Amino acid sequence: FAIDEHQLLIVEVDGVRTKPFAVDSVRLAPAQRIAVMVTAKSTTASNYQYHITMFGDYLPPIAGIFPSVYNGTVVYNSDAPTAVPATIATGFLDEISIESLSGPPALVPDRAVFLNTTVGFMADRSAHESFNLVTYRDPLVPSVYSALTTGGRAINPITYGPQTNAHVFRLGEVVELLLWNPDTLPHVMHIHGHTFQFAERGYTNDTTGALRNQVAQGAFSPLQRDTVFVPSGEYAVVRFRADNPGVWIMHCHFDWHMGMGMSALFVEAPEQLQQTLAVPASVAEQCRVQGIPTQGNAAASNAYNFTAAPNLPYLIANTTALRQ
């Protein structure tokens, strides 16, 4: 999005206030939000166009069709001409340089989670999106019920089933996520229940670290947001504090990628969750009507028995045989 000959002053990203940051255009991926302030001209001698360009880096251009450009007019004077620019402002958003208005300095991680965003294949050649070659499938028991009803076993990720890509976090620990995208397609990673600090960007083929773009240290307060765009061949590092007990999903916000399995569960402070959360009776009733069990692990068992859990689409790491 851009307005000809007008600067955009970013003041909020994904619902979190930022220190004012001036740009000529803003670029958003699905699920991202940006609020800007615009100062009007002091003269009404001209009108100006604004431009919304819909595009995808991974799609080939089609003349007159894609990218799709939608224009409108910012009217200062209905009798004045409209300025016509030689080019439309564009460019990536420098998230590393945007500072949160009132957030903390860069968090120091207590643990790290590596999430490799890859497409995987089954033996029948069908493709599935995945984290670390684990493609998501819903468990038999909704995971929040597993966290509430399995007692001490709730701290064990296997309780939620191998197909949920579950990670269990302690209350208050700082989690660093390395979102690694060697895929040929970009991914838009979105977390529920949190915003995270944007800490670093780089390239997956940078073996020396020379091209790392890291957030400033010291008193600088990194940008906080809940959705990060990770282009093909790049990675992003984000951090958040696990201070919101619950079962939260992390997924690609290209909806068909999520539907193909690019999701993971973050089970946060299950011990505290068992002491504080009561699921509304109306929700339990919805499960009952649909025949969805609400007790036990992913397979509705109160032991380490996963026989009834949904089967994984077993992805193969080496696709050489499929090409023969």
Side-chain angles (χ1 to χ4, degrees), residues 56-196:
D57 289 334
Y58 54 94
L59 295 175
I62 303 174
I65 297 176
F66 189 83
S68 302
V69 180
Y70 303 89
N71 302 311
T73 306
V74 178
V75 178
Y76 283 88
N77 180 348
S78 58
D79 296 324
T82 299
V84 179
T87 59
I88 298 174
T90 186
F92 279 103
L93 188 64
D94 182 13
E95 295 160 297
I96 293 292
S97 298
I98 301 177
E99 189 169 5
S100 172
L101 181 64
S102 56
L107 296 172
V108 178
D110 298 309
R111 65 177 294 184
V113 175
F114 174 66
L115 294 175
N116 191 354
T117 61
T118 57
V119 104
F121 293 87
M122 293 177 63
D124 65 1
R125 292 179 167 80
S126 62
H128 297 266
E129 298 286 351
S130 76
F131 285 127
N132 303 336
L133 289 179
V134 177
T135 190
Y136 180 89
R137 285 294 181 270
D138 286 327
L140 199 62
V141 175
S143 295
V144 69
Y145 279 118
S146 291
L148 291 171
T149 63
T150 53
R153 294 192 304 278
I155 65 172
N156 192 330
I158 194 62
T159 295
Y160 307 95
Q163 79 291 334
T164 59
N165 234 322
H167 300 266
V168 179
F169 303 137
R170 300 189 312 272
L171 181 65
E173 70 177 339
V174 175
V175 180
E176 177 176 283
L177 304 177
L178 171 54
L179 306 171
W180 191 265
N181 184 15
D183 202 351
T184 56
L185 296 175
H187 296 294
V188 187
M189 306 316 305
H190 174 67
I191 188 172
H192 289 215
H194 288 279
T195 57
F196 43 62

Side-chain angles (χ1 to χ4, degrees), residues 1 8-16 18 21 23 25-29 31-37 93 95 98 223 225:
F1 176 80
L8 309 178
L9 197 65
I10 296 174
V11 295
E12 181 184 296
V13 174
D14 290 356
V16 181
T18 69
F21 190 84
V23 295
S25 66
V26 293
R27 182 180 292 196
L28 299 94
Q32 293 184 323
R33 296 88 68 201
I34 294 179
V36 300
M37 296 180 66
L93 188 64
E95 295 160 297
I98 301 177
L223 172 69
R225 67 181 319 166

